[in-house]
Amino acid sequence: MDASLKQLQDEYKQIPIPDELDFVVNRALQTRRKKRIPSKWLVGASAAALIFVIGINASTTVANAFAAIPGVQSLVKVLTFKEYKIDERTYNADIKVPVITNLDNKALEQTLNEKYLTENKKLYDDFQTEMEALKKQGGGHLGIDTGYEVKTDNDALLSIGRYVVNTVGSSSTTMKYDTIDKKNQILLSLPMLFKDDRYISVISDNIKEQMRARMKADPNKIYWISTETNKVPTEEFTSIHKDQNFYINNEGKFVISFNKYEVAPGYMGIVEFVIPTDVLSDVLVSHKYVK
């Protein structure tokens, strides 16, 4: 581990709680005990205080302080720990590092957060290296934007997607997902959900059906798959990967995700397919996660 990454990890562990935040949390708790103010009001006030007081940086200490307020727990699952920014005329970087808080499984929490920090620090270092190389060659255009989306946050699951948008002439977009079983405090993988490798062909066949149906309904949609009227494309989609990107949404539905250019032209962006549960029933280990 390089020294700069170690320093960032130390910063993450040592960010103090601002005095203003102590005051906001304590006052909210005291007020609720005295006046029984509805928790919805506290959620709004605490969220505003979080944004105003600590901005984009947060620590587990801060998160735990907010978690002490009834009704606010869901606000502290995923926060932005650090943001790297470069804003020059032809060079732009905005790299946001997420942090997951309040998992009982601290080893899993630390592993995920160190992964997110390492991923984004590398993206930032690589961007700086490429930027300096372009400047020495006379200049150019370079851009990167990263961040995260909380796809699912309920009593059972937390699904977080981390996106990376690279801009060099045209843009490319990738998305990676982590889905956590909150109750058992484990990170779910695709093979864990199914009895055997049959899920690969079952899901792939359904996706092909959905692709053809979408193209038939909307001529502006194109996927790399042959149809009755279209010739076989150069890079035809045949099958998902064994560890294909996926998440489980708030309705308990299984979603497969493809990065930009992976199964369709670039203008289609990131492509998702919700796989019907009845299609998966024979290959699922159980319906604990997928409903």
Side-chain angles (χ1 to χ4, degrees):
M1 180 182 298
D2 62 40
S4 59
L5 183 57
K6 178 65 167 59
Q7 181 181 352
L8 283 172
Q9 290 175 335
D10 291 340
E11 288 176 11
Y12 160 67
K13 297 174 182 176
Q14 295 172 10
I15 297 174
I17 300 178
D19 292 338
E20 299 93 332
L21 185 56
D22 273 334
F23 174 75
V24 169
V25 172
N26 291 331
R27 185 176 64 178
L29 287 170
Q30 292 167 5
T31 302
R32 189 172 191 272
R33 282 195 292 265
K34 290 178 180 179
K35 298 185 178 181
R36 299 288 183 181
I37 293 176
S39 60
K40 288 183 179 179
W41 184 89
L42 285 175
V43 171
S46 300
L50 176 64
I51 295 170
F52 180 75
V53 176
I54 64 175
I56 63 167
N57 289 317
S59 70
T60 50
T61 310
V62 173
N64 288 331
F66 269 90
I69 303 176
V72 186
Q73 289 88 340
S74 63
L75 295 179
V76 295
K77 297 305 181 191
V78 186
L79 301 169
T80 303
F81 160 58
K82 192 172 186 67
E83 186 171 14
Y84 300 97
K85 296 199 74 169
I86 294 175
D87 190 10
E88 299 184 14
R89 190 170 63 87
T90 58
Y91 305 103
N92 302 99
D94 187 358
I95 299 174
K96 292 173 281 294
V97 184
V99 58
I100 294 178
T101 67
N102 290 344
L103 286 179
D104 292 334
N105 185 340
K106 293 305 175 186
L108 174 59
E109 181 179 290
Q110 182 177 354
T111 297
L112 290 171
N113 289 337
E114 288 185 354
K115 177 176 73 170
Y116 301 155
L117 185 60
T118 301
E119 283 178 349
N120 286 281
K121 180 64 166 57
K122 184 177 188 306
L123 287 171
Y124 179 66
D125 290 343
D126 290 348
F127 182 89
Q128 285 190 308
T129 299
E130 193 170 353
M131 179 179 68
E132 293 305 319
L134 282 173
K135 286 180 177 180
K136 290 179 182 180
Q137 296 170 9
H141 291 78
L142 197 62
I144 187 171
D145 178 38
T146 81
Y148 60 91
E149 300 175 3
V150 177
K151 290 289 191 177
T152 305
D153 188 2
N154 54 40
D155 291 341
L157 296 173
L158 173 68
S159 289
I160 175 174
R162 291 115 55 221
Y163 63 83
V164 178
V165 181
N166 280 293
T167 308
V168 185
S170 61
S171 65
S172 65
T173 306
T174 61
M175 186 76 103
K176 298 178 181 178
Y177 294 98
D178 285 325
T179 296
I180 299 165
D181 174 342
K182 290 183 180 179
K183 293 181 179 178
N184 294 300
Q185 301 285 307
I186 57 174
L187 182 66
L188 301 181
S189 67
L190 197 54
M192 285 172 59
L193 301 176
F194 299 98
K195 297 174 183 177
D196 50 48
D197 286 352
R198 285 180 297 154
Y199 74 87
I200 297 174
S201 59
V202 169
I203 293 173
S204 300
D205 289 345
N206 183 260
I207 288 173
K208 292 173 188 177
E209 291 179 12
Q210 290 195 48
M211 286 178 171
R212 293 188 174 100
R214 290 182 186 183
M215 288 193 292
K216 186 175 182 179
D218 184 352
N220 293 317
K221 290 185 176 180
I222 297 176
Y223 300 97
W224 289 332
I225 188 170
S226 59
T227 66
E228 294 178 355
T229 57
N230 294 332
K231 296 180 180 180
V232 177
T234 303
E235 299 182 21
E236 183 169 18
F237 167 72
T238 57
S239 175
I240 64 168
H241 302 298
K242 186 174 183 178
D243 57 350
Q244 186 70 45
N245 254 328
F246 81 98
Y247 65 93
I248 299 169
N249 66 23
N250 269 312
E251 290 71 45
K253 301 304 178 185
F254 182 81
V255 184
I256 285 287
S257 175
F258 295 97
N259 291 327
K260 187 175 180 180
Y261 299 112
E262 196 172 357
V263 296
Y267 75 87
M268 294 282 287
I270 289 176
V271 178
E272 294 185 348
F273 296 90
V274 178
I275 310 301
T277 304
D278 59 350
V279 170
L280 301 172
S281 291
D282 288 343
V283 292
L284 281 170
V285 170
S286 75
H287 287 276
K288 178 177 181 179
Y289 304 115
V290 181
K291 310 298 182 183

